[in-house]
Structures are given as structure tokens and as C-alpha cells.
Amino acid sequence: MKVRVEVDGLVDRIRTKDVIAGVVGLGYVGLPLACELAAAGYRVLGFDISEETVSGVNRGESHIRDVPSSTLASVLGPEGLEATSDMSRLVECDTISICVPTPLGKTRDPDVSYVAAAASAVAQVLRPGQLIVLESTTYPGTTRDLVLPILEESGLEVGRDFFLCFSPERVDPGNPTWTTKNTPKVIGGITPSCLEAGEALYGEVIERVVPVSSTEAAELTKLLENTFRSINIALVNEMAQVADRLGVDVWEVIDAAATKPFGFMKFVPGPGIGGHCIPLDPHYLVWKMKMLDYKTRMVELATEINAEMPRFVVNKIQDGLNRHRRSVAESRILILGVAYKRDIDDVRESPALDVIRLLAERGAEIRYHDPYVPVLEEDGIRRESVPLTDEELSAADCVVITTDHSTVDYERVVRLAPLVVDTRNATRGIEGGDIVGLGGNGTEEREGRREEGLPTALMTAGG
Ligand SMILES: NC(=O)c1ccc[n+]([C@@H]2O[C@H](COP(=O)([O-])OP(=O)(O)OC[C@H]3O[C@@H](n4cnc5c(N)ncnc54)[C@H](O)[C@@H]3O)[C@@H](O)[C@H]2O)c1
């Protein structure tokens, strides 16, 4: 009976907004969630180990592009959101959502030390009636095998004294349509009462909550979603290389295939994969399955194909420069866009960084422009974004479009740059200039195929 009393009491208090909601980790995932909780009428304590992040949030200055400072400022205050680095204040929280990073270690194995540290901080203050939800992307079994034992060191029992769930975050930075609030949220609990408490909390904040039968099912759901993306991106990246050799425009082919109203989903090629999810998450699954003596062949092959893309891009740059009788070593190369995707400021795992590294190893003089990333510090080198002036464009031997930010005038880029390597098809439809595409879609490809005397059908398919 005690179980029901605990969970019923918590659920009732969640529904009447009579709880304090805690969010641990105020990054891309945690800050939007904290703001949604506050906007839904909860008092929210946001925890972060970074003093800079905490003081910024408390000043109403958002460090996350998807959370405008005006939105943050509107939910700050004693009845709304307050940030703190004092982890002992976790005791004040009735619900605690953990949104800390899950990177890879040096050997590309999962680094769950942030999750363990956050769980330990919670364990120090754990008290009856608290709901803990892990949101960080991780391998199946983390909630039960890593987090639960840490929490149980308190002597409290899960499903009776406290409640534990896993609910993967699905935030898509820069997506104006799908936000934390309207993206359905999957959740699994260690026990049925855990799930009941978790569903109650997210049901107040998120439009649709999707319960699953276990924390492992919720953990694997997230990894299925992200390996699905990784594999499909690898397929179109491979198709770009196929089309390149055939002299067929891969973008045209993808657009044509996408007219099929069923059984096809559009993915586009690029210089590689980036961000905190797609390049990392498959490794979590691969690692876990290795422990269970299973080789996830398709997942690993996709990772391999995607990882090779920066090299393919550099080969394209090399070929383009060759036609201009220049070597990479004596060239000035302007990288256009270093964020891992359009209109965001996140450079984590960005393939542009790999392209820069490979070009720098070959001796190129590298400059970059990114309206969202004023400073870039990589491999101990600090670079500053240069203004995209006419002089900058014409002084470059090659301009490489690594990220297709929508604020850039690509017509001007093509007009002024002596050579453009376009990995995103940002120059589609622009006439003139010397453009090298990723998959049989640049002017260079069209000319080259013509010289080789390929059939007209293949020639005109380019660009
Ligand atoms: N960024 C995305 O698009 C995205 C999308 C879906 C899921 N995820 C997953 O969500 C998790 C968080 O990712 P993110 O992008 O928000 O990371 P982030 O680096 O933007 O934010 C994490 C925050 O946690 C703080 N932190 C680290 N350890 C802490 C601790 N012990 N206590 C309190 N704060 C701590 C950091 O200072 C940082 O501010 C990861 O597992 C990631 O895979 C991210």
C-alpha cells in the first residue's frame, strides 16, 4: 500500500504543480526542458557544474540558440526557473531530469562518467518521494545497471521509496517546427509506479508521451532512431560516390526518388556527420553489443562510410585545385560554415573540422567564415571567422561550402571565388563559376564527363 501512497501522492502533486522540478545539466537538452517545465507552471531548479552557465542563465542570457534570451528571461524568478551549481539543493527537488553529456572516451568507448557523477550527486540527497529521469543518450542497461545501484546506495528502494525512469531527449537544434514541447516523448520506468510518475510529469509539459515497458526499451528506442539516421546518411553518402563516378547528379536522383509517396524517406549526402548524437550514439550500441558477443555489422559499416566523407571532400578539393595548376600546400582555402549543420552554432564532431584538419596537414592556408561561430579552437589552434567580403572570396584559391547556412549569398560566392567545392548542393541552379559538387553535380563534373565522351543522357543529368 505504501507504494501507491508514494506514487499517488507524487502524481497528485505533479498535476497540481505542487512540486519543484530539477534539471541537471543546462545544455542543448536541459535548458529547453527547464524552460518548458517553468512555462508549464513548475518551480524549476536548474543545476550545472559550470559557474559561467549558471550565472548566464540567472542573468537571463541564453547560451543555447533555440532558447531566445527573451524566453529564458520570461520564465526566470522565484516561482519559475532558477539556476544553481550547488548540487546539495537537489534535495529540494521532487523530480530530477538528468541531461548531462554522454561523450566517447579516447578509445571511442562510452564515457558515462558524467551520468555517474550526476547520479552520485542525486544519491547524496535522495529522499522518499523523488522521481529521477535519465535523459542522456546511452547504451541499453545504463539506467538499471549504472544509475540504479548508485541511487540504491542510499538504502532507499526503487518503485517504493523513489522512482526511476529513462526518457530519451529528441531535441533537434535549429528545427523551428519540432520543439521540446511538441515532439512526442518516449519513457520507460524501472517499475510500473516509476513509469506512472514519469508519465505524469512529462504529460504536463509535453504534448504526447509514449510509454514503453522498460527503461531498456526506451534506451534502445533512442539508439534505433539515431542509428537509423546514421545508416541512411551512409547510404546516400555512398550513393553520392556512386553517382560521382557515373556522372549522374545525386541530388537530382534523391529528389526524384523522394517523389515516391511510400517506402522512401529523403536523406541527403554531405561532408560527413556531426553533432553530439549521430556520430556518437552508434558507438554506444556497438560497444554494448560487443559485450554481448554480437557484431553490429550494418551499424559499424555506416559509421565507417560516414567517417570517410571528409577525405572524399579533400580529394575533390585536390582535384579542383589541380585543374587550376595549384597544389593544396600553396593554396589559400576558405571554409564556408563550420557548424555541423545549417543555421546552428554547434561545432561538436562537425565534419568541417575534419576537412580543416586534413587540409592543414597538407599545408594549406585555412581561413573560415561562419556567421554563428565567431571563434574556433581546434587541435590547439585558434581561428577567427573572417568577414565574407568580396576580397576574401576572390583571394581564396578555393571556397569549400561545408555548411549551407541560409544567410550566405551563394550566387556571390560562385561569382567571385575562382573555385567552389560544394558539399551541400547550396549552389544548385546557380550558373557560371567553377563548381565541384559532391555527387556528380558540379560544373567540373559536367565538363569532365563531356570530355570523356559519356552519353548525353549522363551529361545532362549533372547539375
Ligand atoms: N544536443 C542534441 O541535439 C541532443 C539531442 C538529443 C539527445 N542529446 C543527449 O542529451 C545529453 C545532453 O546533451 P547536450 O547536447 O544537452 O549536452 P551539453 O554539453 O550541451 O550540456 C550538458 C550540460 O551538462 C553540464 N554538466 C556536466 N556534468 C554535470 C554534472 N555532473 N552536474 C551538473 N551539470 C553537469 C555541462 O556543464 C553542460 O552545461 C547527451 O547524452 C546527448 O547525447 C543531445
Side-chain angles (χ1 to χ4, degrees):
M1 269 332 338
K2 184 153 188 296
V3 179
R4 280 247 61 90
V5 173
E6 290 290 5
V7 78
D8 287 349
L10 180 59
V11 167
D12 287 348
R13 288 174 50 231
I14 285 172
R15 295 220 167 107
T16 55
K17 310 278 157 41
D18 182 26
V19 292
I20 298 182
V23 177
V24 181
L26 297 174
Y28 288 91
V29 167
L31 190 63
L33 177 66
C35 290
E36 286 300 345
L37 284 159
Y42 290 102
R43 217 190 127 201
V44 182
L45 275 180
F47 296 84
D48 206 288
I49 48 172
S50 157
E51 292 292 348
E52 197 186 335
T53 297
V54 166
S55 52
V57 168
N58 282 335
R59 282 196 307 272
E61 292 165 11
S62 174
H63 57 294
I64 302 295
R65 276 191 73 80
D66 285 348
V67 178
S69 291
S70 55
T71 306
L72 174 59
S74 71
V75 296
L76 281 180
E79 292 310 310
L81 171 63
E82 179 194 345
T84 178
S85 58
D86 178 0
M87 302 306 272
S88 68
R89 292 193 64 191
L90 282 165
V91 72
E92 296 171 40
C93 303
D94 304 283
T95 72
I96 299 170
S97 304
I98 300 176
C99 312
V100 296
T102 41
L104 294 174
K106 282 208 173 71
T107 54
R108 309 298 277 170
D109 282 347
D111 174 2
V112 285
S113 60
Y114 296 89
V115 172
S120 298
V122 174
Q124 308 268 317
V125 298
L126 195 67
R127 58 172 171 77
Q130 279 180 316
L131 163 68
I132 322 299
V133 186
L134 179 62
E135 298 226 359
S136 305
T137 307
T138 184
Y139 59 82
T142 308
T143 311
R144 194 182 303 273
D145 303 337
L146 178 81
V147 176
L148 181 58
I150 295 175
L151 297 180
E152 280 179 338
E153 278 170 23
S154 62
L156 298 177
E157 193 179 314
V158 69
R160 190 192 70 183
D161 304 319
F162 71 95
F163 308 100
L164 177 61
C165 292
F166 181 82
S167 180
E169 184 47 61
R170 283 170 159 170
V171 69
D172 182 20
N175 189 329
T177 310
W178 296 105
T179 60
T180 300
K181 188 174 175 57
N182 66 2
T183 305
K185 196 149 171 54
V186 170
I187 188 164
I190 295 283
T191 69
S193 56
C194 293
L195 178 59
E196 200 177 332
E199 269 190 280
L201 175 69
Y202 290 114
E204 292 295 315
V205 185
I206 285 147
E207 287 176 10
R208 184 171 164 224
V209 178
V210 183
V212 292
S213 63
S214 65
T215 49
E216 287 79 3
E219 288 160 337
L220 188 55
T221 301
K222 175 69 184 179
L223 293 184
L224 169 62
E225 290 166 15
N226 282 1
T227 48
F228 172 86
R229 281 187 65 74
S230 173
I231 286 169
N232 281 285
I233 293 168
L235 177 64
V236 286
N237 278 340
E238 183 159 86
M239 209 47 81
Q241 300 184 56
V242 166
D244 194 60
R245 280 163 178 78
L246 290 171
V248 176
D249 182 346
V250 71
W251 307 88
E252 183 188 22
V253 170
I254 291 171
D255 279 347
T259 59
K260 185 178 178 184
F262 47 86
F264 185 84
M265 187 178 280
K266 182 174 171 178
F267 283 83
V268 290
I273 44 171
H276 189 40
C277 293
I278 313 294
L280 274 57
D281 300 352
H283 290 277
Y284 273 72
L285 189 58
V286 168
W287 177 85
K288 177 68 187 178
M289 294 322 293
K290 260 191 202 141
M291 314 258 286
L292 299 176
D293 206 20
Y294 180 78
K295 191 167 161 57
T296 41
R297 285 160 293 171
M298 195 181 274
V299 177
E300 287 179 62
L301 183 59
T303 303
E304 220 173 277
I305 292 172
N306 289 330
E308 282 164 6
M309 287 310 283
R311 231 167 252 282
F312 180 59
V313 171
V314 169
N315 285 342
K316 285 271 167 195
I317 298 168
Q318 227 153 357
D319 290 349
L321 285 169
N322 258 344
R323 281 191 295 104
H324 289 241
R325 304 265 176 268
R326 293 196 72 84
S327 70
V328 171
E330 60 186 347
S331 295
R332 171 163 157 177
I333 298 180
L334 178 66
I335 301 289
L336 215 48
V338 292
Y340 78 86
K341 67 172 181 175
R342 181 195 301 174
D343 297 343
I344 64 160
D345 60 358
D346 192 350
V347 297
R348 290 179 297 178
E349 309 288 328
S350 173
L353 307 181
D354 292 321
V355 172
I356 290 175
R357 193 171 301 124
L358 290 168
L359 290 171
E361 277 168 16
R362 285 159 178 72
E365 179 194 344
I366 315 261
R367 299 160 73 88
Y368 87 92
H369 170 80
D370 192 310
Y372 301 103
V373 186
V375 176
L376 185 64
E377 296 204 37
E378 273 293 309
D379 301 329
I381 300 170
R382 184 180 197 274
R383 293 188 172 89
E384 283 178 23
S385 172
V386 294
L388 199 60
T389 59
D390 289 0
E391 294 70 36
E392 189 68 43
L393 285 166
S394 40
D397 294 297
C398 176
V399 174
V400 187
I401 303 171
T402 30
T403 315
D404 51 343
H405 290 309
S406 55
T407 48
V408 172
D409 175 356
Y410 294 102
E411 197 281 327
R412 185 168 70 101
V413 172
V414 170
R415 186 162 33 86
L416 295 170
L419 169 68
V420 177
V421 173
D422 179 5
T423 69
R424 304 280 190 173
N425 207 23
T427 58
R428 163 169 287 194
I430 298 174
E431 292 297 327
D434 185 353
I435 306 169
V436 176
L438 202 61
N441 61 316
T443 50
E444 177 261 339
E445 275 90 350
R446 288 201 294 271
E447 300 309 321
R449 295 293 153 182
R450 214 163 278 145
E451 277 162 26
E452 284 169 26
L454 275 178
T456 320
L458 288 186
M459 266 166 41
T460 49

